[in-house]
Amino acid sequence: MENIFIFLFNSIIVSSTICTADRLSNSVSLKIQRSFCFYCGHNLAWFDTIPVVSACILRNKCRYCHTSFGRYYAIFELFYILIGTFLWGTPVTWITGVFLLFLSLEDCSKQSIHANILFPWIGYLLVLHHDAEHLCLTVLILILSIILVKHRHTLGSGDIPVLLSLILSTTPVIFSCTLLIGCCLALFYLLYSQQKRLPFVPFLSGGWVITNLYILFLL
């Protein structure tokens, strides 16, 4: 029964996070309570907003204008719901995952994120993990990130709080694996797409997910 509750709670959190990111990316006020279709503007009924289930029944299309809102939307939503359920036992990791999901969606949409929402979280993590190992790595990454932002222009300023959150929310080894995998994923994407710029947060999130799933199931 407890696992069912955790799964349902994560369904609500993931669905709300996706909705919030969509609204901010499309400059839609969060004060509008009713969910609606971004294509036709029609208000959605409650049975159109059930996480995963509604997307599967409607085949990832709006019930009213029949516009597709993503071929793999239900799979994406279910994937993050399951990740949240698996990570429920470690609250710091779970909360970090929610932030990463939100910021990744924003970064994918407009390559700009509301990184300021991470500052209170970083402050809490500094109180929680203020040992010499974490602090030294934090200072090192902060200096390197500032150099990449100010002088090399190869990193966005919004990526710095994300990196600091990742450092302070886990062990240095896990952070190193996350950063390595994220950079490799980003490099493969650049080689495949032949683009000069990319949203880096989704690749960091991908590295973070892969690392945590490896720890959960293979260690």
Side-chain angles (χ1 to χ4, degrees):
M1 187 65 183
E2 181 181 356
N3 291 333
I4 295 175
F5 169 78
I6 293 172
F7 181 86
L8 293 176
F9 181 77
N10 275 284
S11 299
I12 296 172
I13 294 297
V14 169
S15 181
S16 300
T17 301
I18 294 173
C19 177
T20 302
D22 283 343
R23 289 193 176 198
L24 290 177
S25 298
N26 290 278
S27 301
V28 177
S29 175
L30 298 178
K31 296 180 181 180
I32 301 175
Q33 296 181 357
R34 289 288 299 275
S35 295
F36 62 93
C37 174
F38 281 99
Y39 299 99
C40 66
H42 199 289
N43 286 335
L44 303 180
W46 67 268
F47 45 79
D48 294 324
T49 59
I50 302 173
V52 181
V53 176
S54 295
C56 291
I57 293 175
L58 296 173
R59 298 181 180 180
N60 299 320
K61 294 181 179 180
C62 172
R63 182 188 300 275
Y64 308 98
C65 67
H66 306 293
T67 302
S68 174
F69 49 81
R71 184 177 179 183
Y72 301 107
Y73 183 88
I75 297 175
F76 174 83
E77 196 172 42
L78 178 60
F79 178 70
Y80 272 93
I81 290 171
L82 291 175
I83 290 175
T85 303
F86 290 138
L87 298 178
W88 180 258
T90 50
V92 169
T93 306
W94 182 84
I95 294 172
T96 301
V98 173
F99 280 127
L100 286 176
L101 172 61
F102 171 73
L103 296 173
S104 295
L105 292 170
E106 270 201 316
D107 209 11
C108 281
S109 176
K110 56 181 183 179
Q111 293 194 9
S112 176
I113 61 174
H114 288 82
N116 56 317
I117 65 172
L118 289 174
F119 292 129
W121 181 236
I122 292 172
Y124 170 77
L125 293 174
L126 279 171
V127 175
L128 193 66
H129 297 137
H130 55 272
D131 56 277
E133 191 176 28
H134 276 95
L135 291 179
C136 288
L137 184 58
T138 299
V139 172
L140 176 62
I141 294 298
L142 181 59
I143 293 173
L144 290 175
S145 298
I146 291 174
I147 292 173
L148 291 175
V149 171
K150 299 296 183 180
H151 299 286
R152 301 290 296 178
H153 305 290
T154 55
L155 193 71
S157 59
D159 295 325
I160 298 178
V162 177
L163 289 169
L164 297 182
S165 297
L166 289 173
I167 295 170
L168 295 169
S169 64
T170 186
T171 66
V173 174
I174 294 177
F175 169 75
S176 300
C177 292
T178 296
L179 186 59
L180 176 61
I181 296 172
C183 289
C184 289
L185 292 174
L187 179 60
F188 289 145
Y189 176 81
L190 283 175
L191 293 174
Y192 177 77
S193 64
Q194 297 182 345
Q195 294 185 11
K196 296 182 178 180
R197 293 187 61 187
L198 55 75
F200 190 42
V201 177
F203 296 100
L204 281 175
S205 300
W208 181 86
V209 168
I210 292 171
T211 303
N212 278 281
L213 289 180
Y214 177 80
I215 293 171
L216 277 173
F217 296 109
L218 297 178
L219 291 185

